[in-house]
Amino acid sequence: TDPSGVAVVTGNIGGVYARLGAFDNALLYFEKALFTHTELNEKSLIAAITGNIGSVHYSLGQYEVALEYLVRALAEHEALGAKSAVALVTGNIGGVYADIGEYDKALEYFSKAIAVHEELGEISQAAIFTGSIGNVYQQLGSFDRALEYYSKALAVHEELGNKSSAANVKGNIGELYADTNNENYDAVKAEEFLMQALEISTALGEKQQLIAWNKSLADLYEHEGRIADAFHHYKKYIGIKEELQIDEVKNQAEQREREKEIAIAKATADAKHQATEQLLHNVLPPSIADKILGGTKLIAEKIPSVSVMFADIVNFTKLSQRVTPEELVEGLDRIFSTFDALAEKYGLEKIKTIGD
């Protein structure tokens, strides 16, 4: 077997579980992969899996643990000179700091991430973190600065044709104009940007975004006294939210079914392996059986001196005709068990059992 290859596949399984939102399973597979990569001292893979574990804890809202893993991953990527990975992890650390309200640190890490992504020509990723800076300034109430960064990010996303990212930024700009604490509150612009975001997200089928934009529109229309419009989008908001909850229940049921199928398959494979192993040890010398189980293709040994003993049950054919099948098997079992015990005691190897 190839331990490194197995660890890579194990990590990939963890990645699939993470995308499915099955974070407990994701962590289980990531930790297994990390253990093997660490034993093999595969530094690049160690850094990648460490960052993945940090991202899962981030998704779970376990910010302290997330930071611990992400900072470790950042140091490992920096030591390897993996600039693209450094930029990505740096941005993720900024995201953690933004979520826990440490905005100065968030801005620091987002800015570092943008600088490296731009240096590498990774414009799309730089635009994502540019939008993240806009989010931070919006949280701080610096609406003009927020709009400045949102506008930069939007221009890049539209130029590159990144529709989903463009929709997110348009929605954020709409919410910015809809914020009553913003001295530049503008219901018309808020509606314009939110409707654009809603249209794109609808076309892409991004339900999570549709929940946000419908809720924001409902709040905007309620503030403007447009009750019918507010009610329409609030109903949309509730309906899509319920759809997502139903989808989540289905996904969890499907996940449990997949896990059950995997468990059954593993148990079946283990049982077959154990049965094969037991059978080989019953009919072959232990040294030969172990070689076969270990994958040896050609088995040949030279023994310069050997004594061979042949044992026979006299008149076995006539004996077998006079007793029942149950009595025959029981008698053979006693004979062979005793013979095996004596062979083991005196250092003999039973090569093969043949006969009637």
mmCIF file of all heavy atoms in Angstrom, residues 11-27:
data_model
loop_
_atom_site.group_PDB
_atom_site.id
_atom_site.type_symbol
_atom_site.label_atom_id
_atom_site.label_comp_id
_atom_site.label_asym_id
_atom_site.label_seq_id
_atom_site.Cartn_x
_atom_site.Cartn_y
_atom_site.Cartn_z
ATOM 1 N N GLY A 11 -7.932 12.708 2.857
ATOM 2 C CA GLY A 11 -8.148 14.152 2.924
ATOM 3 C C GLY A 11 -9.193 14.614 1.924
ATOM 4 O O GLY A 11 -10.006 15.504 2.227
ATOM 5 N N ASN A 12 -9.209 14.006 0.734
ATOM 6 C CA ASN A 12 -10.217 14.350 -0.269
ATOM 7 C C ASN A 12 -11.627 13.997 0.204
ATOM 8 O O ASN A 12 -12.584 14.744 -0.046
ATOM 9 C CB ASN A 12 -9.923 13.635 -1.591
ATOM 10 C CG ASN A 12 -8.683 14.179 -2.283
ATOM 11 O OD1 ASN A 12 -8.245 15.295 -2.002
ATOM 12 N ND2 ASN A 12 -8.104 13.395 -3.177
ATOM 13 N N ILE A 13 -11.738 12.863 0.883
ATOM 14 C CA ILE A 13 -13.037 12.475 1.455
ATOM 15 C C ILE A 13 -13.475 13.518 2.479
ATOM 16 O O ILE A 13 -14.637 13.921 2.530
ATOM 17 C CB ILE A 13 -12.960 11.079 2.093
ATOM 18 C CG1 ILE A 13 -12.728 10.011 1.013
ATOM 19 C CG2 ILE A 13 -14.243 10.766 2.868
ATOM 20 C CD1 ILE A 13 -12.464 8.623 1.559
ATOM 21 N N GLY A 14 -12.513 13.974 3.294
ATOM 22 C CA GLY A 14 -12.816 15.035 4.252
ATOM 23 C C GLY A 14 -13.319 16.291 3.558
ATOM 24 O O GLY A 14 -14.258 16.947 4.025
ATOM 25 N N GLY A 15 -12.705 16.605 2.416
ATOM 26 C CA GLY A 15 -13.129 17.779 1.651
ATOM 27 C C GLY A 15 -14.553 17.651 1.140
ATOM 28 O O GLY A 15 -15.325 18.623 1.158
ATOM 29 N N VAL A 16 -14.922 16.442 0.694
ATOM 30 C CA VAL A 16 -16.298 16.209 0.223
ATOM 31 C C VAL A 16 -17.285 16.397 1.371
ATOM 32 O O VAL A 16 -18.320 17.058 1.227
ATOM 33 C CB VAL A 16 -16.437 14.793 -0.380
ATOM 34 C CG1 VAL A 16 -17.900 14.494 -0.696
ATOM 35 C CG2 VAL A 16 -15.590 14.663 -1.636
ATOM 36 N N TYR A 17 -16.959 15.805 2.520
ATOM 37 C CA TYR A 17 -17.840 15.961 3.685
ATOM 38 C C TYR A 17 -17.967 17.438 4.085
ATOM 39 O O TYR A 17 -19.039 17.896 4.475
ATOM 40 C CB TYR A 17 -17.317 15.142 4.868
ATOM 41 C CG TYR A 17 -17.740 13.698 4.847
ATOM 42 C CD1 TYR A 17 -16.803 12.666 4.869
ATOM 43 C CD2 TYR A 17 -19.090 13.351 4.824
ATOM 44 C CE1 TYR A 17 -17.205 11.330 4.842
ATOM 45 C CE2 TYR A 17 -19.495 12.023 4.815
ATOM 46 C CZ TYR A 17 -18.554 11.015 4.822
ATOM 47 O OH TYR A 17 -18.960 9.701 4.813
ATOM 48 N N ALA A 18 -16.872 18.189 3.980
ATOM 49 C CA ALA A 18 -16.918 19.616 4.334
ATOM 50 C C ALA A 18 -17.862 20.368 3.403
ATOM 51 O O ALA A 18 -18.654 21.209 3.851
ATOM 52 C CB ALA A 18 -15.511 20.213 4.272
ATOM 53 N N ARG A 19 -17.789 20.059 2.100
ATOM 54 C CA ARG A 19 -18.678 20.726 1.139
ATOM 55 C C ARG A 19 -20.137 20.349 1.368
ATOM 56 O O ARG A 19 -21.051 21.132 1.091
ATOM 57 C CB ARG A 19 -18.253 20.399 -0.295
ATOM 58 C CG ARG A 19 -17.023 21.175 -0.745
ATOM 59 C CD ARG A 19 -16.766 21.011 -2.228
ATOM 60 N NE ARG A 19 -16.321 19.682 -2.577
ATOM 61 C CZ ARG A 19 -15.056 19.282 -2.501
ATOM 62 N NH1 ARG A 19 -14.120 20.100 -2.091
ATOM 63 N NH2 ARG A 19 -14.718 18.048 -2.847
ATOM 64 N N LEU A 20 -20.367 19.133 1.878
ATOM 65 C CA LEU A 20 -21.727 18.690 2.169
ATOM 66 C C LEU A 20 -22.245 19.256 3.488
ATOM 67 O O LEU A 20 -23.415 19.082 3.824
ATOM 68 C CB LEU A 20 -21.788 17.156 2.217
ATOM 69 C CG LEU A 20 -21.606 16.421 0.896
ATOM 70 C CD1 LEU A 20 -21.463 14.920 1.140
ATOM 71 C CD2 LEU A 20 -22.786 16.682 -0.027
ATOM 72 N N GLY A 21 -21.350 19.910 4.238
ATOM 73 C CA GLY A 21 -21.746 20.444 5.542
ATOM 74 C C GLY A 21 -21.690 19.410 6.654
ATOM 75 O O GLY A 21 -22.148 19.666 7.767
ATOM 76 N N ALA A 22 -21.147 18.228 6.359
ATOM 77 C CA ALA A 22 -21.000 17.179 7.379
ATOM 78 C C ALA A 22 -19.657 17.387 8.080
ATOM 79 O O ALA A 22 -18.694 16.652 7.863
ATOM 80 C CB ALA A 22 -21.077 15.802 6.726
ATOM 81 N N PHE A 23 -19.611 18.392 8.944
ATOM 82 C CA PHE A 23 -18.332 18.853 9.473
ATOM 83 C C PHE A 23 -17.667 17.855 10.434
ATOM 84 O O PHE A 23 -16.445 17.782 10.494
ATOM 85 C CB PHE A 23 -18.522 20.212 10.155
ATOM 86 C CG PHE A 23 -18.951 21.293 9.203
ATOM 87 C CD1 PHE A 23 -20.119 22.008 9.400
ATOM 88 C CD2 PHE A 23 -18.199 21.579 8.078
ATOM 89 C CE1 PHE A 23 -20.524 22.994 8.516
ATOM 90 C CE2 PHE A 23 -18.588 22.562 7.179
ATOM 91 C CZ PHE A 23 -19.760 23.267 7.404
ATOM 92 N N ASP A 24 -18.468 17.089 11.183
ATOM 93 C CA ASP A 24 -17.875 16.099 12.095
ATOM 94 C C ASP A 24 -17.092 15.052 11.303
ATOM 95 O O ASP A 24 -15.964 14.701 11.661
ATOM 96 C CB ASP A 24 -18.971 15.424 12.930
ATOM 97 C CG ASP A 24 -19.533 16.355 13.995
ATOM 98 O OD1 ASP A 24 -18.886 17.386 14.265
ATOM 99 O OD2 ASP A 24 -20.613 16.060 14.535
ATOM 100 N N ASN A 25 -17.704 14.567 10.226
ATOM 101 C CA ASN A 25 -17.016 13.579 9.380
ATOM 102 C C ASN A 25 -15.813 14.204 8.681
ATOM 103 O O ASN A 25 -14.773 13.561 8.509
ATOM 104 C CB ASN A 25 -17.984 13.019 8.340
ATOM 105 C CG ASN A 25 -18.946 12.006 8.938
ATOM 106 O OD1 ASN A 25 -18.632 11.362 9.925
ATOM 107 N ND2 ASN A 25 -20.103 11.873 8.356
ATOM 108 N N ALA A 26 -15.974 15.464 8.267
ATOM 109 C CA ALA A 26 -14.865 16.158 7.607
ATOM 110 C C ALA A 26 -13.656 16.216 8.537
ATOM 111 O O ALA A 26 -12.528 15.910 8.136
ATOM 112 C CB ALA A 26 -15.292 17.569 7.200
ATOM 113 N N LEU A 27 -13.893 16.599 9.785
ATOM 114 C CA LEU A 27 -12.794 16.690 10.752
ATOM 115 C C LEU A 27 -12.161 15.322 10.991
ATOM 116 O O LEU A 27 -10.934 15.213 11.119
ATOM 117 C CB LEU A 27 -13.292 17.275 12.068
ATOM 118 C CG LEU A 27 -13.598 18.776 12.066
ATOM 119 C CD1 LEU A 27 -14.216 19.201 13.394
ATOM 120 C CD2 LEU A 27 -12.329 19.586 11.807
#
